[in-house]
Amino acid sequence: MSRGRRDMAAALPARLDRKMVRDLWAIRLQALAIALVVAAGVAVHVVAAGMLDSLQETRDAYYDRYRFADVWAPVVRAPDSAAETLRDIPGIASVQTRVREAALFNMPGLSAPATGVMLSLPEAGLAAVNRIHLTAGRRPATGERDAIVLLDSFARAHTLSIGDTVTATVRGGREQFRVVGTALSPEYVYAIAPGQLVPDPRLFGVAWMGRDALEQAADATGAFTEIAFTLQPGASEPAILDALDRQLAPWGAPGAYGRDDHFSDAFVSSEINQLDTMASLLPPVFLIVAAFLVNVVLTRLIAMERAQIGLLKAFGYSSRAVITHYAKFALVIGFVGLALGLGGGVWLGRLMAAMYIEYYHFPFLLFDLPASIYASSVIVTLTAVGGGAVLAGLRTARLSPAEAMRPSQPPDYSRALGATLARWRRFDQQSRMILRHVLRWPARAAFTLAGITVSGALLVSSMYFLDAMDAMIDAHFNLANRQDVSVTLVEPRSRAALHEIARLPGVLAAEPVRHAPARLRFGGHEERIALTGSPQDATLSRLIDSDGLPVMPPPGGLVLSRDIATPLGLRPGNWVEVEITEGHRPVLYLPVSNVVTTLIGSGAVIDINDLNALMGESDMITGAVLRIDPDRADALYTALKEAPGVAEVGLQNEARRRFQEIMDEVIGASIFIYTVFAGLIAVGVVYNSVRIAFSEREHELAVLRVLGFSRGEVAYVLLGEIALLTLLALPLGAALGAGLSWYFSQAMSSDLFRLPFIIDPSTFGYSALVVVVVALSSGLMVRARLNRLDMVAALKTGD
Amino acid sequence: MTRTRTTAARRFRSDGPACFETRSLSRDFGEGPTRVRALRGVDLTIPAGEVIVLLGASGSGKSTLLNILGGLDRATDGDFKFRGRDMTQISETELTRFRRDHVGFVFQFYNLMPSLTAQENVELVTEIATHPMPARDALGLVDLTDRADHFPSEMSGGEQQRVAIARAIAKRPEVMLCDEPTGALDSATGVRVLQALKRVNRELGSTVLLITHNAGVAAMADRVITLADGQVREERVNDDPIDPEALTW
Ligand SMILES: Nc1ncnc2c1ncn2[C@@H]1O[C@H](COP(=O)(O)OP(=O)(O)OP(=O)(O)O)[C@@H](O)[C@H]1O
Ligand SMILES: [Mg+2]
């Protein structure tokens, strides 16, 4: 003991507290290992709960302050007067009409066209619904023709500032705009271009301009193309959607929708749900492990200090005083863990908030820990470790002073579970010592086993996400959507347009697509969907069944993805009512020929000829999917940017690249963090188990050395047990990890995507490797002590 | 395994140098003002095949000497030879081999493995020794064949100590080093333990070094060495050692 520490302990008034500090110092590494497990649990809690809280608060405040719409109702074109009567629908709070028009931005430095939208701002005053948050500059002045406010992320991605000009194609007309401001919008917290899976700020732009100017650009003078509403609290959204659809039908309304179907909000909500799952699932695992560790370590300490405890009691210390004494150990460990966990959690939370703000564009996102999370961390942690300590301490209460001071008998192995089993002649004596030790203290061995199993399972389940993402990418890009580029036209055109597109430079293959908004009704339920008409022999964009084979509906039939079919209760063979909310709005009955699971997005596919026929039109298309020659991509992009009829260009090739990039960045970082945390559990459990086994068996091991066993042979007796338990834990961890992964695949799937339950063998391998390395290094730390074993000292006592 | 005393004793005695030879062996513990000089220049020659009793007051250095001779501890100064071979310079690994192949230890506290039965405790050593006797035979030598399958927690102190002796002798050690083997036992049990040691000396020809606080035990020794203050105060050869059976205390 160094002098400094002795002085520190000596500064405490109560002698019992000095003992506590010195005892704690003696087991400092074990205590630290436990504190780190506590810290990991607290940190996960702080990050997940804190992030959840911050995101929710920020979202709610942002939506509220900027009057984020509850309901959107697009129309083809409607006169302003049409909006007047809508105000009277019960439950509607405010109404804002506007013009929305697709735009293709031609950005210098980006050969591909950036898809986006132009949205109108009221000529005077602020919008009643969906206000923007200016980050620089100003709004367009009344009557200002060419002034736009640009989406902040888009402007930054292209290093545009106030005064710069932007060229965009709107309804075939190429125009130049002047950037007068940049802004964020609650409608574009998560801004993503068509065909993209993750945000690529370069590829998606939003421009706000004066109403009059946009009306002209979009051929909608005196009209609007979309209305947004906020609802009164308690209003019934379905009823309002119905009313809107009825009243707006004459204006070619494809169907009103609520926040559930709003792309940005759906993403934000799904993120919040995932945080919620994480916040409730993981911290308890860490805290339970910590409580067990405290219990096991203190139980051992108490066993070693039996005589001292007896003495204390003989002096007149009460049982309660003794229990309190041991509870203080746990409190010190708990507080150290709390401090590390809170500090680390806040630090990680800030990093995470900084990461979030890159993908979720809020005007502000502060990682802020409310007092309630501090309080719950402190209470839960201290209850867990304190509980573990008190349970251990209760043993001292049963210890009578006289009994405590008698030397302990050699532990009785004769009655151990399976003592006869371990007589099996095939083992050498050292292996028997290991086996009997495990069988003599089955609860302790079980705990060690459980700890290693849990840490292995956490590793498997965190890396499962990578496997699931890989499977998702593969299914989405390599099987279902093999096109490089998809083109959406401003309005439906005849099949001749397909040939024009196919003749563009660099196009290797082009397949037609006819999209139509529709509503499916079955068994009293209704779903709003986008119906896709595809050719029978589609090779690029199609639905894929569970065998990885493309599924096309037979003539007259419909193939649905499971996320559409399930809420309606639809099965293959059912006939479903389909109302197409475009054109003359036909209502028809179609058989569902197949239901398939899509991992990303949803799909409702019909033969394009059937769709054309049902809509009473000739061979119309609304777009095309293309396979292109990568070397001539630039030429194609240039042509698309100039093509008059093109509204949107989806870049699947870019989407894939970007998705991979984000996966590596974000998921890689979180996997690393989880690996560290799971590793902490393994270290905490293994190091403590070995360390306890060592102090319990120090004497035996010294005797083995005396008898002429080498250090390696003695280490085998000590570490063989942990090796055995680790080997047993590996398959258990794999199984539990698979179960946990399955749970995550269910809990984390949303309307937007479904995590497939696929675990790559390498995930098991890597997890096993981490567990083994951690167990090995914990073992080696104790092995170092083994090398310094003092044989002579060990022989002086009977133990 | 039956050898007469004379042949066995002759085997070790005749074929070479003394079992142990020490020259100004010293051992200091600690440094500076807290330094304890446990041994201060011990010169001894211990012939092979004898029973030697080490006497001396508490703190006189008996255990320290025995630990050094057995390769559990190292001298601070001086050197010693085991059967003519210098032991002070050898490596840790060689010391381990030395203990494994040549030395049987018996201590005041029996130091059995609680998780192994009596026979298994003996087998623990026979598994690593070069020319061991069957574990059963070793237990037979201490009259414990019938307790072979009992765990230490199921045996009395004297029985545990005899298992410890069986464990020590099973490897047919050249030296038995016994630090107060009867210290925790009553007189009748102690006598049985001493008989076992004597029998090993007689039948295997092992040199037996025995520390005791009981001067009466000296009567069974071929040679009695008395330590005081870390030095040899007296060395006496006993021409007519008696059988331990005749001892009482
Ligand atoms: N590890 C140690 N550190 C410091 N001093 C020690 C240590 N081991 C022994 N000593 C001291 O060395 C001296 C000799 O000790 P040793 O154990 O050899 O005595 P002993 O003759 O065996 O006594 P006893 O009959 O009581 O067993 C004693 O003064 C003892 O205090
Ligand atoms: Mg002694």
Side-chain angles (χ1 to χ4, degrees):
Chain A
M1 259 201 204
S2 85
R3 196 137 298 273
R5 196 170 53 258
R6 212 176 265 198
D7 289 343
M8 193 184 82
L12 291 168
R15 296 297 185 274
L16 212 49
D17 288 341
R18 296 188 191 178
K19 169 182 174 310
M20 195 266 294
V21 170
R22 287 175 190 151
D23 285 357
L24 199 55
W25 182 253
I27 56 165
R28 59 193 175 277
L29 276 183
Q30 282 171 273
L32 183 67
I34 302 174
L36 286 176
V37 174
V38 171
V42 171
V44 175
H45 174 64
V46 162
V47 170
M51 207 62 233
L52 181 64
D53 193 82
S54 304
L55 264 186
Q56 256 166 346
E57 294 258 313
T58 303
R59 176 190 64 176
D60 293 350
Y62 187 32
Y63 282 3
D64 190 56
R65 195 169 325 150
Y66 291 88
R67 314 223 176 162
F68 182 49
D70 292 302
V71 167
W72 291 258
V75 292
V76 170
R77 199 162 299 145
D80 274 332
S81 58
E84 286 312 310
T85 53
L86 301 177
R87 285 180 203 280
D88 303 332
I89 297 175
I92 283 184
S94 41
V95 180
Q96 178 66 55
T97 61
R98 66 181 177 185
V99 177
R100 167 196 285 270
E101 190 57 57
L104 283 183
F105 294 95
N106 180 12
M107 306 307 294
L110 178 70
S111 67
T115 290
V117 289
M118 312 287 277
L119 289 171
S120 69
L121 292 172
E123 280 298 321
L126 296 177
V129 181
N130 291 332
R131 289 183 179 165
I132 59 172
H133 169 82
L134 278 176
T135 51
R138 58 174 175 86
R139 291 179 175 72
T142 309
E144 207 175 3
R145 293 273 126 196
D146 60 346
I148 55 168
V149 171
L150 210 52
L151 187 66
D152 184 72
S153 55
F154 187 63
R156 272 191 293 131
H158 292 287
T159 56
L160 290 171
S161 36
I162 312 298
D164 290 344
T165 55
V166 172
T167 326
T169 311
V170 182
R171 288 211 144 236
R174 196 164 217 213
E175 291 187 46
Q176 268 216 343
F177 299 96
R178 211 160 27 87
V179 180
V180 299
T182 57
L184 300 173
S185 156
E187 288 185 285
Y188 296 99
V189 172
Y190 195 77
I192 196 167
Q196 302 285 309
L197 297 177
V198 287
D200 186 337
R202 296 171 312 138
L203 293 182
F204 184 67
V206 179
W208 288 271
M209 57 192 294
R211 170 80 179 259
D212 291 344
L214 188 54
E215 278 184 12
Q216 266 190 2
D219 280 340
T221 320
F224 61 86
T225 64
E226 187 180 60
I227 324 182
F229 307 85
T230 54
L231 305 186
Q232 284 161 5
S236 154
E237 189 186 292
I240 288 171
L241 292 181
D242 271 351
L244 287 174
D245 286 344
R246 246 178 294 112
Q247 299 202 25
L248 289 171
W251 313 107
Y257 59 92
R259 285 185 183 178
D260 277 357
D261 293 315
H262 185 270
F263 197 79
S264 165
D265 185 58
F267 258 96
V268 175
S269 303
S270 119
E271 185 63 36
I272 285 175
N273 286 341
Q274 292 184 13
L275 279 174
D276 203 12
T277 307
M278 206 170 89
S280 54
L281 192 75
L282 288 179
V285 171
F286 286 94
L287 290 178
I288 289 172
V289 171
F292 266 106
L293 283 178
V294 165
N295 182 274
V296 172
V297 169
L298 285 187
T299 302
R300 169 60 199 155
L301 191 70
I302 287 167
M304 287 199 300
E305 296 188 342
R306 284 169 82 246
Q308 297 181 39
I309 295 165
L311 215 58
L312 287 174
K313 286 191 171 183
F315 292 160
Y317 280 94
S318 68
S319 286
R320 177 202 287 256
V322 174
I323 293 176
T324 312
H325 170 65
Y326 288 103
K328 281 184 187 166
F329 276 85
L331 292 188
V332 172
I333 292 173
F335 273 116
V336 171
L338 265 175
L340 290 175
L342 289 174
V346 169
W347 178 73
L348 270 179
R350 296 219 170 109
L351 282 187
M352 203 155 152
M355 207 172 75
Y356 266 101
I357 205 114
E358 262 187 58
Y359 302 109
Y360 296 92
H361 303 298
F362 289 105
F364 52 88
L365 177 60
L366 282 187
F367 181 78
D368 189 31
L369 265 199
S372 64
I373 293 181
Y374 275 111
S376 62
S377 304
V378 172
I379 292 170
V380 171
T381 303
L382 296 188
T383 313
V385 297
V390 168
L391 281 183
L394 283 179
R395 286 160 191 262
T396 64
R398 276 181 258 122
L399 216 61
S400 83
E403 188 200 341
M405 290 173 69
R406 216 174 319 129
S408 60
Q409 281 292 104
D412 185 358
Y413 282 84
S414 66
R415 274 189 292 277
L417 192 79
T420 37
L421 179 145
R423 272 170 208 237
W424 204 24
R425 284 269 137 200
R426 286 209 15 213
F427 296 118
D428 61 12
Q429 306 312 324
Q430 290 134 286
S431 305
R432 271 176 220 211
M433 288 172 70
I434 292 171
L435 258 187
R436 292 210 181 118
H437 199 256
V438 170
L439 296 171
R440 178 67 181 74
W441 285 279
R444 200 193 287 169
F447 165 68
T448 305
L449 189 64
I452 306 175
T453 300
V454 164
S455 100
L458 284 180
L459 285 169
V460 168
S461 61
S462 54
M463 281 193 311
Y464 149 75
F465 283 101
L466 284 181
D467 297 343
M469 296 285 173
D470 275 343
M472 258 166 63
I473 293 201
D474 187 53
H476 186 75
F477 289 109
N478 295 345
L479 289 174
N481 296 285
R482 306 199 298 170
Q483 71 271 30
D484 299 314
V485 170
S486 54
V487 173
T488 306
L489 302 174
V490 173
E491 51 198 7
R493 300 263 314 273
S494 82
R495 207 59 80 91
L498 178 69
H499 302 302
E500 281 171 36
I501 293 171
R503 277 198 302 273
L504 290 175
V507 175
L508 298 178
E511 289 174 5
V513 175
R514 175 33 160 144
H515 281 297
R519 275 166 228 178
L520 303 186
R521 291 188 200 96
F522 186 78
H525 298 287
E526 185 183 273
E527 282 284 310
R528 288 141 202 265
I529 59 151
L531 197 55
T532 304
S534 286
Q536 278 292 339
D537 55 355
T539 62
L540 297 179
S541 178
R542 57 244 173 115
L543 289 180
I544 300 293
D545 69 12
S546 53
D547 298 325
L549 296 172
V551 184
M552 268 311 290
L558 201 55
V559 178
L560 298 179
S561 62
R562 196 165 306 281
D563 60 299
I564 293 176
T566 306
L568 291 171
L570 274 173
R571 288 162 194 286
N574 290 146
W575 286 70
V576 59
E577 182 187 331
V578 181
E579 180 190 351
I580 294 171
T581 53
E582 193 190 298
H584 68 279
R585 308 174 86 87
V587 178
L588 19 115
Y589 285 85
L590 292 175
V592 176
S593 67
N594 213 334
V595 173
V596 299
T597 301
T598 50
L599 298 182
I600 298 176
S602 46
V605 174
I606 184 171
D607 185 305
I608 188 167
N609 295 322
D610 288 351
L611 184 56
N612 287 150
L614 294 169
M615 293 191 68
E617 61 190 17
S618 55
D619 51 357
M620 302 296 265
I621 64 168
T622 55
V625 287
L626 316 177
R627 211 153 50 72
I628 67 167
D629 175 355
D631 294 338
R632 296 173 68 200
D634 287 351
L636 174 66
Y637 294 154
T638 309
L640 284 174
K641 280 190 269 195
E642 279 159 9
V646 174
E648 284 180 357
V649 177
L651 303 167
Q652 266 72 19
N653 45 2
E654 283 290 312
R656 184 189 180 122
R657 194 190 50 73
R658 176 76 178 151
F659 191 87
Q660 201 70 54
E661 206 174 278
I662 292 206
M663 287 255 304
D664 294 348
E665 214 172 280
V666 179
I667 316 242
S670 43
I671 298 262
F672 174 74
I673 290 174
Y674 278 108
T675 303
V676 169
F677 281 5
L680 283 182
I681 289 195
V683 171
V685 170
V686 173
Y687 179 71
N688 269 298
S689 302
V690 182
R691 191 63 191 77
I692 286 173
F694 176 74
S695 63
E696 261 174 8
R697 309 180 78 180
E698 192 169 359
H699 181 72
E700 266 180 79
L701 300 173
V703 172
L704 284 175
R705 289 282 289 132
V706 169
L707 293 178
F709 282 84
S710 68
R711 285 175 179 150
E713 289 162 330
V714 172
Y716 169 68
V717 172
L718 179 66
L719 303 179
E721 177 173 343
I722 232 50
L724 174 71
L725 294 177
T726 304
L727 284 183
L728 282 178
L730 289 179
L732 293 178
L736 184 65
L740 216 57
S741 303
W742 180 85
Y743 173 79
F744 281 136
S745 75
Q746 302 299 306
M748 300 243 175
S749 290
S750 65
D751 286 352
L752 304 164
F753 58 87
R754 281 147 294 279
L755 285 181
F757 177 54
I758 289 173
I759 305 178
D760 195 79
S762 69
T763 291
F764 290 120
Y766 175 79
S767 308
L769 185 72
V770 171
V771 168
V772 167
V773 165
V774 166
L776 214 60
S777 35
S778 307
L780 287 180
M781 277 164 76
V782 178
R783 161 106 204 232
R785 285 177 172 267
L786 203 61
N787 290 345
R788 281 173 305 188
L789 202 62
D790 185 345
M791 290 178 270
V792 175
L795 296 171
K796 277 190 179 154
T797 60
D799 205 57
Chain B
M1 184 72 234
T2 44
R3 247 185 235 277
T4 64
R5 182 202 164 173
T6 36
T7 54
R10 197 172 292 142
R11 190 187 68 156
F12 285 149
R13 253 180 211 163
S14 53
D15 68 353
C19 182
F20 289 114
E21 257 186 281
T22 74
R23 206 172 47 78
S24 10
L25 208 58
S26 314
R27 177 65 166 104
D28 295 350
F29 291 105
E31 276 166 32
T34 57
R35 184 169 77 146
V36 178
R37 306 196 60 195
L39 295 180
R40 8 177 134 210
V42 173
D43 293 295
L44 272 177
T45 302
I46 296 174
E50 290 192 356
V51 173
I52 296 108
V53 164
L54 264 178
L55 294 175
S58 184
S60 56
K62 305 181 294 293
S63 298
T64 307
L65 176 62
L66 204 76
N67 290 340
I68 292 175
L69 293 181
L72 301 181
D73 194 6
R74 283 179 186 270
T76 322
D77 215 351
D79 49 55
F80 80 98
K81 290 188 172 123
F82 170 71
R83 301 195 62 80
R85 179 171 170 221
D86 182 57
M87 300 293 290
T88 28
Q89 302 301 323
I90 68 175
S91 72
E92 192 59 37
T93 320
E94 286 172 300
L95 266 188
T96 302
R97 274 224 79 83
F98 164 65
R99 290 199 299 273
R100 174 187 294 210
D101 294 339
H102 304 290
V103 189
F105 286 100
V106 182
F107 302 97
Q108 174 176 6
F109 307 103
Y110 329 119
N111 292 321
L112 298 180
M113 300 294 137
S115 56
L116 296 179
T117 62
Q119 179 168 341
E120 289 167 350
N121 261 288
V122 178
E123 284 165 351
L124 184 65
V125 168
T126 58
E127 276 170 7
I128 60 165
T130 345
H131 304 293
M133 66 176 80
R136 287 260 161 190
D137 292 359
L139 285 171
L141 281 174
V142 294
D143 292 328
L144 271 180
T145 330
D146 53 333
R147 309 287 273 170
D149 288 333
H150 288 235
F151 283 94
S153 58
E154 300 169 305
M155 284 185 280
S156 75
E159 286 163 346
Q160 289 185 51
Q161 187 63 301
R162 272 144 64 205
V163 174
I165 292 176
R167 182 178 65 183
I169 62 182
K171 68 168 80 149
R172 306 178 199 278
E174 284 175 56
V175 240
M176 292 278 287
L177 300 178
C178 316
D179 195 343
E180 301 185 47
T182 58
L185 305 173
D186 65 56
S187 128
T189 321
V191 165
R192 299 196 64 180
V193 167
L194 292 178
Q195 278 179 310
L197 287 175
K198 184 77 190 170
R199 190 167 169 191
V200 174
N201 169 258
R202 197 170 54 230
E203 295 182 7
L204 301 179
S206 311
T207 311
V208 175
L209 239 102
L210 184 78
I211 294 179
T212 177
H213 277 283
N214 187 335
V217 173
M220 69 175 274
D222 297 308
R223 190 180 297 262
V224 181
I225 296 168
T226 310
L227 292 188
D229 272 339
Q231 284 172 319
V232 178
R233 196 179 65 188
E234 189 193 353
E235 188 177 342
R236 178 167 60 82
V237 177
N238 191 357
D239 287 329
D240 187 19
I242 63 166
D243 192 276
E245 203 177 1
L247 295 172
T248 46
W249 63 86

